[in-house]
Amino acid sequence: MKGLYLITTLAVFLVSAPAIAGPIVNVNARNTTPTNPSSILLDAGTYQLVPVGPVDGGVFTASNVWSTIFGDPLVDGCNPSGKNCAHGWQWRVNLYSDEIGELALSSSGIYRTAQLALASADSPAGEFSVAQAAGVNFFFPDSDYSDNHGGVSFSIEFVPNQVPAPGTAFLLTFGALGLVALRRNLSRTTTTQ
């Protein structure tokens, strides 16, 4: 019975294995460009980008790509809840690698505050895979960086081997049960002879 309990516990763990937190990357909206990216070397595998702010170890909360004539971040046209602004704060970043190409990740909204933009960002903000160890570049997508404010921070989390489909987990569990039953029968046969 102990063997059955151990195998069932293992099957449940395989189906629910969490992502493993990794390094935090900070992308400055003013100077992290396609020609000056934040680069990180990653081993082969699947990764998720999880937005973080200063409370979680990041440097940035969100970015604003517009400025007033006085150089302050421009925020206008927001609804009463601080969402759907014409200009304001947003969470977005691009990544590039030779294998993946370019991938844009965004919270797809513009907000009154950087905190609202971070809170609205999808978590994870995206997932990507690399087949072999490679450098992945992260940068801020814009054409005029001089009026940008803030930036984004995120944790790159490794996703353990893809979990088996529910049908596969079901078969693994019942296969393990069959092995336990077979072992019991062999034990009984050896003992009675």
Side-chain angles (χ1 to χ4, degrees):
M1 200 63 169
K2 285 183 182 178
L4 173 61
Y5 175 76
L6 188 61
I7 291 167
T8 305
T9 303
L10 179 60
V12 169
F13 175 76
L14 286 173
V15 172
S16 61
I20 300 166
I24 292 177
V25 176
N26 300 296
V27 180
N28 186 320
R30 188 174 291 252
N31 62 22
T32 312
T33 67
T35 57
N36 184 39
S38 290
S39 298
I40 188 163
L41 181 63
L42 296 173
D43 289 328
T46 300
Y47 296 88
Q48 295 177 338
L49 267 59
V50 176
V52 298
V55 170
D56 299 312
V59 171
F60 300 107
T61 305
S63 61
N64 184 316
V65 298
W66 301 280
S67 286
T68 65
I69 57 171
F70 303 108
D72 296 323
L74 177 62
V75 177
D76 66 4
C78 305
N79 67 23
S81 64
K83 300 176 181 177
N84 302 318
C85 304
H87 303 96
W89 295 90
Q90 56 191 331
W91 199 100
R92 68 179 187 164
V93 68
N94 282 23
L95 68 85
Y96 175 83
S97 80
D98 291 338
E99 180 182 340
I100 301 167
E102 187 171 332
L103 181 60
L105 306 168
S106 174
S107 65
S108 68
I110 302 173
Y111 300 85
R112 178 178 293 133
T113 67
Q115 291 75 19
L116 279 173
L118 176 61
S120 74
D122 293 332
S123 186
E127 185 173 291
F128 63 95
S129 298
V130 288
Q132 57 189 357
V136 179
N137 299 320
F138 300 94
F139 61 92
F140 193 79
D142 201 7
S143 56
D144 176 13
Y145 292 85
S146 65
D147 63 346
N148 293 351
H149 299 272
V152 296
S153 297
F154 50 88
S155 171
I156 300 178
E157 299 190 357
F158 176 75
V159 179
N161 292 336
Q162 296 300 317
V163 297
T168 306
F170 180 80
L171 288 174
L172 284 171
T173 302
F174 278 97
L177 289 172
L179 289 173
V180 169
L182 180 62
R183 182 173 179 212
R184 280 190 177 167
N185 285 340
L186 288 175
S187 295
R188 287 182 191 154
T189 306
T190 307
T191 316
T192 57
Q193 288 181 355

